[in-house]
Amino acid sequence: MARSWWGWGNVEDAVRGAELDALLARARALAPGEPTGHEPPDVASLGIPAARLSPPPSLAALCSADPADRAAHAHGKAFRDVARNLLGDLPHVPDLVARPRAERDVVDLLDWCSGGRVAAIPYGGGSSVVGGIEPRFEDGRPAVTIDLTRLDRVLEVDPVSRAARIQAGVLGPHLEDQLRPHGLTLRHFPQSFEFSTLGGWLATRAGGHFATLATHIDDLVESMRVVTPSGVAESRRLPGSGAGPSPDRLFLGSEGALGIITEAWMRLRERPRWRAKASVRFADYAAAVAATRAVAQSGLHPANCRLLDAAEALVNAGVAVDGGVLVLAFESADHPVRASLERALELCRDHGGETPDEPADSDTASDTWRSSFLRMPYQRDALARHALIVETFETSCTWDGFDRLHRAVTEAARDAIRDVAGNGVVTCRFTHVYPDGPAPYFTVYAPGRWGAMVAQWDGIKTAVSEAIAAHGGTITHHHAVGRDHRPWYDRQRPGPFGAALTAAKAALDPAGVLNPGVLVPAP
Amino acid sequence: MARSWWGWGNVEDAVRGAELDALLARARALAPGEPTGHEPPDVASLGIPAARLSPPPSLAALCSADPADRAAHAHGKAFRDVARNLLGDLPHVPDLVARPRAERDVVDLLDWCSGGRVAAIPYGGGSSVVGGIEPRFEDGRPAVTIDLTRLDRVLEVDPVSRAARIQAGVLGPHLEDQLRPHGLTLRHFPQSFEFSTLGGWLATRAGGHFATLATHIDDLVESMRVVTPSGVAESRRLPGSGAGPSPDRLFLGSEGALGIITEAWMRLRERPRWRAKASVRFADYAAAVAATRAVAQSGLHPANCRLLDAAEALVNAGVAVDGGVLVLAFESADHPVRASLERALELCRDHGGETPDEPADSDTASDTWRSSFLRMPYQRDALARHALIVETFETSCTWDGFDRLHRAVTEAARDAIRDVAGNGVVTCRFTHVYPDGPAPYFTVYAPGRWGAMVAQWDGIKTAVSEAIAAHGGTITHHHAVGRDHRPWYDRQRPGPFGAALTAAKAALDPAGVLNPGVLVPAP
């Protein structure tokens, strides 16, 4: 398998042939695009400039100055990254890619960067969708991308407490492969699972498998080890503590600006033995939302509780419905969960939901949705090559404000799509739900113009971000802040907290080398 | 009702008469004490020095220089506080007690303090057990205690999202009284419930009602408003977010060192309609621990899961048993919970537990335990007046380390009790449990010597804190750090995190007036 330098995942898994034909037919029904596809440029043709710095001899063996390697580390995997790559638009490429083999290497790399005011960009699987790993700085200083994927081992397993000490650079599948012989699993499955790392999940507060309770990776953390230019921070393994503000919660979501996470003790669980799932159809979206709220507030804690609006249901689950489809699943390693599902279905019927006669261990709508979920990034790449804009954005808000936010965001998206692309579609699903509100996730399909797609998308993104901010949503529920969300993050973040975070960064990273411009202004 | 100046709660509720006789008889069986009780000193006889500063005219109406008022705010409510009060040992008394009536008053008070390098000590119900509200500073500067109990209203209720905006100075019962007409409850019941405030719970990361899931108040917070000398920090109302490190998590547990919490949006729930509880007896403590671990890892999420060791069961639940008693309870506002209890009991039987034939809605052992739980602080006061040392300490650790920690801590406590008091008892219960470990809570009963009880207790506390630290526990699971836990907190906290926290404090509180010496060294 070979990783694509410009798009998602493995080259061999790209959408082609009959799958591509069918995909294009479906997509053009939503958003008519250009008739012919474009080939990604040969990386050798991009004229990547030579590295502006050389590593010291002691670090040379860790570092690559290869242009293709550097180009592959220049951008994340958002639509705007893929679109720029397809156009060969790579103005900011790291000067070196360093691959530490041990924590000591990370310490030495940061020492070297701090000594020379070289930017250090921590890099896991590279799946950022917010410009979080892009060496784009106002002062244009040289940059080393520190790719942690060689730190990929499960170092220790504690079967009694159900926890493991895990190196941060491990990719999702390799992590689960190492836990499986112990009968344990982290059960954290972001959409990027195959091509993102534990350290990346922690640094960006990734959203995972569970729609309720442990929605973010945060709650699965027992302790962390973080290399900062001012020393290594290691928290104690504790199931819970009230000793001052949580040290881990400062580094969770720090996006490489405060330190480089090298390992963590993570809470694990046994694989589920009992499962029950069902999908519920609603003729009315408001009723579907009310039913979802009732389930979220019931204390039943479904593992999945994903409300697809009518467009989302049609596009990704193959279900034609007027209001929406609620996909429900319960799971447990300890006890049957059928009664929980039955009660959730009863709540749905109270709100006019059409429930299946007999809940089953499998469910067609949710199975269809699941397989398309994993395939989506590859499909996005194929559509981008045909000048189709396919991108997502997400937020969360309280239930009392959801209707207004949903209406405002949808209208802003439609207006912007009309302005920049003439026509298109915006769909909505809930990825996670809480007793006090949902996390709505929107997808946009719009026809692009080859060469203008990034500006088109930026127009849509700015409009929807303004609508989210105006209606009290968060600029991101689980996609991080990076460089792209900074304008809205700066408005959302309480001012004194911003001052505290800036001061904390100055204390930990006095030379200001760690991922400059992410979360706080570059010094 | 009148609050006791020297001890817990209301004067009228003190233990007396037949209750006192019975209590003394029980206690002396554990730890023979002195035959006669001592009267608390008259506060007028203490010679409290005059205040060393006067408020500006604009703040004078908020401030009290009354010696009795100041004496009542000088100490928290730990055993060592009560013992010092009983001896009239009050070397550090605030110069003024200020009672803001609005957030603007808090801002003005902090401005005044910052201008004059006057220490500002935020004060809720005054139930700190770690010296957190004590004006004890190396530099002996003047201090104003800011008593927030006039900010006691529920300002707004959102029944759709089940949340309310609540002023931080409200005491537990008054908070629940205001929520009750809305059919909602915070359901946060620390032992101090009657005499502690929302703001105090947030500032100290209080542990509450639920033994699993939302064990600390942290998870019930939707947003917070905090007055700092550098401005007011208000987070957005969000059910979940991944936008950078959580702002709320920096202020949760900040113990008044970073700002004064004035209000918060809190997540509420409906009152439980379904309940099931039972207690399980074990002949062997290790088997009881294993059963408790199985329940904690089952995903059944009991509301109560409190394992009492044999001594704790005898003293506080009136149950004679060799191994221990596990008190289990489930509750829900939405669905029956009997099946969950049945499964938990099955897990207990798998580990040799003796379960009741028929689980009931009430349970004698747990009911006895519950009523003694609320009465304990009053009993502690009565025993302290008879020179009996009654005090608790608590921690958490992973399951794999519990046996070693439990043995080491118990031995350290017994050795120290023997050294300082000749004989006595140490008991253990779990207050909260997690999939990866328990939160054990220890109680010490030992005979004191009038006049020497503080030094005696400090000897015991130092010994057990060293044992906790040596075995990887936290210095506190839910009693905060304050001034008394600082030596062990400083060792537990990752060094770079300490540097970040110190820098954050300097940014938020440049004059260093907020609760000096708590969490970080006074500047």
Side-chain angles (χ1 to χ4, degrees):
Chain A
M1 291 287 197
R3 286 290 297 275
S4 167
W5 82 262
W6 64 272
W8 186 252
N10 292 318
V11 173
E12 294 81 352
D13 290 331
V15 175
R16 56 171 62 85
E19 185 189 6
L20 179 61
D21 294 341
L23 173 68
L24 287 172
R26 283 205 311 279
R28 282 182 180 135
L30 297 174
E34 296 188 4
T36 53
H38 299 263
E39 287 298 314
D42 180 353
V43 73
S45 73
L46 295 176
I48 304 290
R52 294 167 292 171
L53 76 174
S54 308
S58 62
L59 297 173
L62 308 176
C63 294
S64 157
D66 172 57
D69 201 4
R70 291 160 52 215
H73 285 77
H75 289 153
K77 299 295 182 192
F79 171 80
R80 74 192 310 281
D81 299 316
V82 170
R84 288 183 296 167
N85 289 345
L86 285 170
L87 293 168
D89 178 19
L90 283 85
H92 307 289
V93 171
D95 294 275
L96 296 171
V97 175
R99 291 182 171 86
R101 291 161 304 197
E103 185 181 278
R104 183 71 235 174
D105 296 337
V106 178
V107 172
D108 293 343
L109 284 161
L110 284 189
D111 282 350
W112 173 55
C113 289
S114 290
R117 261 184 68 79
V118 174
I121 302 185
Y123 187 103
S127 65
S128 172
V129 292
V130 291
I133 48 144
E134 193 171 329
R136 166 165 45 109
F137 324 118
E138 279 183 19
D139 63 0
R141 74 178 88 175
V144 176
T145 291
I146 302 179
D147 179 326
L148 294 149
T149 48
R150 282 189 186 166
L151 301 178
D152 66 351
R153 286 184 310 125
V154 172
L155 299 171
E156 217 173 324
V157 174
D158 170 1
V160 178
S161 315
R162 293 190 185 159
R165 183 160 72 94
I166 306 168
Q167 288 186 303
V170 67
L171 295 163
H174 188 43
L175 167 58
E176 289 293 334
D177 287 347
Q178 294 175 79
L179 296 176
R180 199 168 293 112
H182 301 276
L184 294 168
T185 169
L186 181 63
R187 222 157 163 64
H188 177 77
F189 304 122
Q191 193 172 23
S192 60
F193 176 71
E194 281 180 272
F195 301 103
S196 57
T197 62
L198 173 64
W201 302 336
L202 297 170
T204 61
R205 302 178 65 192
H209 172 68
F210 294 100
T212 64
L213 295 180
T215 55
H216 289 89
I217 191 96
D218 310 31
D219 291 325
L220 306 180
V221 177
E222 196 175 75
S223 77
M224 286 165 70
R225 209 172 143 89
V226 187
V227 174
T228 82
S230 300
V232 177
E234 180 169 19
S235 56
R236 211 172 270 192
R237 280 189 69 193
L238 293 171
S241 180
S246 163
D248 293 339
R249 298 276 180 174
L250 180 66
F251 291 110
L252 286 163
S254 62
E255 302 192 18
L258 301 183
I260 298 184
I261 301 161
T262 53
E263 57 183 67
W265 274 95
M266 300 299 297
R267 298 180 178 129
L268 307 174
R269 59 186 80 215
E270 294 185 331
R271 280 163 206 290
R273 264 164 255 181
W274 284 270
R275 297 173 208 252
K277 50 186 171 175
S279 54
V280 184
R281 296 170 187 229
F282 291 88
D284 177 70
Y285 186 61
V289 171
T292 308
R293 175 164 72 87
V295 174
Q297 295 180 336
S298 68
L300 291 165
H301 308 310
N304 195 1
C305 184
R306 185 180 287 115
L307 177 61
L308 316 180
D309 73 3
E312 181 86 22
L314 187 64
V315 176
N316 284 318
V319 176
V321 67
D322 288 329
V325 175
L326 178 60
V327 179
L328 286 169
F330 291 82
E331 61 176 52
S332 171
D334 178 78
H335 47 268
V337 291
R338 182 60 66 92
S340 295
L341 178 61
E342 299 280 9
R343 172 60 187 150
L345 294 176
E346 192 172 43
L347 288 167
C348 289
R349 285 192 293 272
D350 290 348
H351 290 86
E354 187 191 328
T355 58
D357 293 338
E358 176 67 19
D361 290 341
S362 72
D363 170 75
T364 309
S366 65
D367 293 346
T368 305
W369 200 92
R370 175 96 196 139
S371 56
S372 70
F373 177 70
L374 293 172
R375 201 69 188 133
M376 281 173 199
Y378 288 106
Q379 296 179 344
R380 187 269 321 264
D381 286 358
L383 296 173
R385 288 175 58 180
H386 290 77
L388 272 149
I389 298 169
V390 184
E391 184 54 302
T392 66
F393 59 94
E394 38 86 62
T395 184
S396 76
C397 63
T398 49
W399 289 111
D400 69 315
F402 171 70
D403 287 350
R404 285 189 305 280
L405 178 138
H406 178 251
R407 201 175 316 117
V409 167
T410 305
E411 279 173 17
R414 285 183 185 145
D415 289 351
I417 289 168
R418 195 177 50 240
D419 288 351
V420 304
N423 62 69
V425 172
V426 55
T427 71
C428 178
R429 64 179 184 265
F430 295 165
T431 56
H432 304 82
V433 293
Y434 302 86
D436 53 339
Y441 190 104
F442 299 86
T443 305
V444 167
Y445 303 86
R449 292 185 307 280
W450 193 253
M453 298 190 302
V454 172
Q456 287 176 296
W457 169 250
D458 286 350
I460 299 168
K461 174 74 177 179
T462 298
V464 299
S465 297
E466 289 295 326
I468 286 170
H471 288 80
T474 175
I475 190 57
T476 178
H477 174 263
H478 62 267
H479 279 172
V481 175
R483 291 173 177 81
D484 297 345
H485 279 153
R486 271 288 305 287
W488 298 280
Y489 171 67
D490 287 2
R491 281 151 57 184
Q492 169 177 341
R493 179 175 67 189
F497 178 74
L501 194 59
T502 303
K505 177 169 170 81
L508 297 176
D509 176 24
V513 299
L514 277 166
N515 220 359
V518 161
L519 288 185
V520 295
Chain B
M1 290 286 196
R3 286 290 297 275
S4 167
W5 81 263
W6 64 272
W8 185 252
N10 292 318
V11 172
E12 295 81 353
D13 289 331
V15 177
R16 57 171 62 85
E19 185 190 4
L20 179 61
D21 294 341
L23 173 67
L24 286 172
R26 285 204 312 279
R28 283 183 179 134
L30 298 173
E34 296 187 4
T36 54
H38 299 262
E39 286 300 314
D42 181 354
V43 73
S45 73
L46 296 176
I48 304 290
R52 293 167 293 172
L53 75 173
S54 308
S58 62
L59 297 173
L62 307 176
C63 295
S64 158
D66 172 56
D69 201 5
R70 291 158 54 214
H73 285 77
H75 289 153
K77 299 296 183 191
F79 171 79
R80 73 193 309 283
D81 298 316
V82 170
R84 287 184 298 167
N85 290 346
L86 285 170
L87 294 168
D89 179 19
L90 285 86
H92 307 290
V93 171
D95 293 276
L96 296 171
V97 175
R99 291 183 171 84
R101 291 160 305 196
E103 185 181 277
R104 182 71 235 173
D105 296 336
V106 177
V107 173
D108 293 342
L109 284 162
L110 284 189
D111 282 350
W112 174 54
C113 290
S114 291
R117 261 184 68 80
V118 174
I121 303 187
Y123 187 104
S127 65
S128 171
V129 292
V130 291
I133 49 143
E134 195 171 328
R136 167 165 43 110
F137 323 118
E138 278 185 18
D139 64 1
R141 74 176 90 174
V144 177
T145 291
I146 301 179
D147 180 324
L148 294 148
T149 48
R150 283 191 187 164
L151 300 177
D152 65 351
R153 285 184 309 125
V154 171
L155 299 172
E156 217 173 323
V157 173
D158 169 0
V160 178
S161 314
R162 293 191 185 159
R165 183 160 73 94
I166 307 168
Q167 288 186 302
V170 68
L171 294 163
H174 188 41
L175 167 58
E176 289 293 333
D177 286 348
Q178 294 175 80
L179 296 176
R180 199 167 294 112
H182 301 276
L184 295 168
T185 169
L186 181 62
R187 225 159 160 63
H188 178 76
F189 304 123
Q191 193 171 24
S192 61
F193 176 71
E194 282 180 270
F195 301 103
S196 57
T197 62
L198 173 63
W201 303 337
L202 298 169
T204 61
R205 301 177 66 191
H209 172 69
F210 294 101
T212 65
L213 295 181
T215 55
H216 290 86
I217 192 93
D218 310 31
D219 291 325
L220 307 180
V221 177
E222 195 175 75
S223 77
M224 284 163 71
R225 206 173 146 87
V226 187
V227 174
T228 82
S230 300
V232 177
E234 180 169 17
S235 56
R236 211 171 270 191
R237 279 189 70 194
L238 293 170
S241 180
S246 163
D248 293 339
R249 298 275 181 174
L250 181 66
F251 291 111
L252 285 163
S254 63
E255 303 193 17
L258 301 183
I260 298 185
I261 300 161
T262 53
E263 56 183 68
W265 275 95
M266 299 299 297
R267 299 179 178 130
L268 308 174
R269 60 186 78 215
E270 294 185 332
R271 280 163 205 290
R273 263 163 257 180
W274 284 269
R275 297 173 208 252
K277 49 185 171 175
S279 53
V280 185
R281 296 173 185 225
F282 290 88
D284 177 72
Y285 186 61
V289 171
T292 307
R293 174 164 73 87
V295 174
Q297 295 180 336
S298 68
L300 291 164
H301 307 311
N304 194 1
C305 185
R306 184 181 287 113
L307 177 62
L308 316 180
D309 73 3
E312 182 84 22
L314 187 64
V315 176
N316 285 316
V319 176
V321 66
D322 288 330
V325 175
L326 178 59
V327 179
L328 285 169
F330 291 82
E331 61 176 53
S332 171
D334 178 78
H335 48 267
V337 290
R338 182 61 66 92
S340 295
L341 177 61
E342 298 281 9
R343 172 60 187 150
L345 294 176
E346 192 172 45
L347 287 167
C348 290
R349 284 191 294 272
D350 290 347
H351 290 86
E354 186 189 331
T355 59
D357 293 337
E358 177 65 19
D361 290 341
S362 72
D363 169 75
T364 309
S366 64
D367 293 347
T368 305
W369 199 92
R370 176 96 196 138
S371 55
S372 70
F373 177 72
L374 293 172
R375 202 69 189 132
M376 280 174 199
Y378 288 105
Q379 296 180 343
R380 186 269 321 263
D381 287 359
L383 295 173
R385 288 176 57 182
H386 289 79
L388 272 149
I389 297 168
V390 183
E391 184 54 302
T392 66
F393 59 93
E394 39 84 64
T395 185
S396 76
C397 62
T398 49
W399 290 111
D400 69 315
F402 171 70
D403 287 350
R404 283 189 307 279
L405 178 138
H406 178 252
R407 202 176 314 118
V409 168
T410 306
E411 279 172 18
R414 285 185 185 144
D415 289 350
I417 290 169
R418 196 175 51 239
D419 288 351
V420 304
N423 63 71
V425 172
V426 55
T427 71
C428 179
R429 64 179 184 263
F430 295 166
T431 56
H432 304 82
V433 293
Y434 301 86
D436 53 339
Y441 189 104
F442 299 86
T443 305
V444 168
Y445 303 86
R449 290 185 306 282
W450 193 255
M453 298 189 304
V454 173
Q456 286 177 295
W457 168 250
D458 286 350
I460 299 168
K461 175 73 177 178
T462 299
V464 299
S465 297
E466 289 294 326
I468 286 170
H471 288 80
T474 175
I475 190 59
T476 178
H477 173 264
H478 61 267
H479 280 171
V481 176
R483 292 173 176 82
D484 297 345
H485 279 153
R486 271 289 305 287
W488 298 280
Y489 171 67
D490 287 2
R491 280 150 58 184
Q492 170 176 342
R493 179 175 67 190
F497 178 74
L501 194 60
T502 303
K505 176 169 171 81
L508 297 176
D509 177 24
V513 299
L514 277 166
N515 220 359
V518 161
L519 287 185
V520 296

